[in-house]
Amino acid sequence: MADAASPDDTASAPPARVVWKGAISFGLVHIPVALYTATTSGGVDFDWLDRRTMQPVGYKRINKKTGKEIASADIVKGIEVEDGRYVVLSNDEIKAAFPKTTQTIEIETFIHASEIPFVYLERPYYLAPINRGEKVYALLREALLETERVGIARVVIQTKQHLAVLVPSGPALILNLLRWGGEIRSFEALKLPPAGVKAAGLKEAELKMARQLIEEMTAPWDADGFRDSFKDEIMRLVQQKAESGDVQSVEKVEPASGGSAKPGAEIIDLTELLKRSLQGAEPAAAKDDDGQPTRSKPSAKTAAKPRAARKRA
């Protein structure tokens, strides 16, 4: 599996942002990690400005029927259940339905990497070890590489629960969020040619030429070889105007600062944890950065129950 990015690819990119700190959990083993953003916007971000005053233009909450602006206090959230009929939910009701934030990437099962269709991949994050978790981090990474497996996990990020896949890539572990099964439309309604060479009516000579063309066009992956030509052209125009002095002064609006994330649990003896995970023993008490016991983990018997049983649960 190829590395996600080379040093040259990220030389001009802003530093990765920490999303939260927590732990990877499989069996009775905890790997303290920090979750980092792995992508940056590649498009052109146009800000709206008032051409008369060169002031930033924001968004208003408008009543679609009257066209009048609505105060935030007068806005409620509703879900349409019939044509024109809504169920209104209060903020407290919505908050109560949020999944509990555990700061843990709970691996539920391991599968072969080739089993996940690309259509399910949504957003990647980097995972880096913290709190002396380098050894057990490396152990999981190398074990996944040797077995050609990836981990399927659940994780809560900003009050939203996600399905995710834990993938080794070079020296890193990548957590790629997945779309839920219900979010992927079926292709059965599409008019597609039948699968298989004979069923699709293909001739061997045609297939041979197609294979030859593919071989001739095959090259190693090089991210720098593929550029956003629209962005490059827009930025060229921006630089040209800036150099000629065609620049307008716009008052900056300071963004709100975010809070710090809670650190994850420190690991205890790795060999002992692995033995207990395989034998079904309860884990020794692990402690967090403040010396307080972390939340208890299920027994290995519970953690190792079959995938179908877990789904029913």
Side-chain angles (χ1 to χ4, degrees), residues 56-73:
V57 176
Y59 299 92
K60 289 185 177 181
R61 297 174 174 89
I62 302 296
N63 183 312
K64 293 183 179 180
K65 187 173 182 178
T66 65
K68 295 181 179 180
E69 186 175 356
I70 304 298
S72 299

Side-chain angles (χ1 to χ4, degrees), residues 289-300:
D289 290 343
D290 299 323
Q292 299 298 320
T294 61
R295 66 185 183 88
S296 59
K297 296 294 296 176
S299 66

Side-chain angles (χ1 to χ4, degrees), residues 4 25 44 48 56 73 85 90 93 115 194 200 204 248 250-251 253:
S25 173
V44 179
W48 287 8
R85 293 173 60 82
S90 69
E93 289 173 320
E115 291 185 56
E204 178 58 33
Q248 306 294 332
V250 177
E251 184 178 352
V253 178

Side-chain angles (χ1 to χ4, degrees), residues 170-276:
L173 286 174
I174 292 177
L175 187 76
N176 202 313
L177 301 187
L178 298 174
R179 296 177 176 90
W180 298 99
E183 296 177 345
I184 302 297
R185 292 192 176 99
S186 173
F187 53 72
E188 293 180 358
L190 302 178
K191 189 177 180 181
L192 303 174
V197 176
K198 291 184 179 180
L202 300 176
K203 298 179 181 179
E204 178 58 33
E206 295 170 332
L207 194 60
K208 181 179 180 180
M209 286 188 291
R211 286 196 300 260
Q212 181 179 350
L213 180 59
I214 290 173
E215 289 293 338
E216 291 177 355
M217 295 180 64
T218 298
W221 166 248
D222 178 16
D224 285 336
F226 301 90
R227 306 290 297 183
D228 183 349
S229 59
F230 172 74
K231 177 184 177 182
D232 289 345
E233 179 62 18
I234 289 295
M235 297 313 296
R236 185 190 66 79
L237 291 173
V238 170
Q239 183 177 2
Q240 187 179 60
K241 285 195 169 190
E243 291 176 349
S244 65
D246 189 3
V247 178
Q248 306 294 332
S249 297
V250 177
E251 184 178 352
K252 289 283 186 179
V253 178
E254 295 297 330
S257 59
S260 59
K262 180 181 178 181
E266 289 204 25
I267 54 172
I268 58 178
D269 184 74
L270 174 58
T271 304
E272 183 64 22
L273 282 173
L274 292 171
K275 286 181 180 180
R276 292 182 180 182

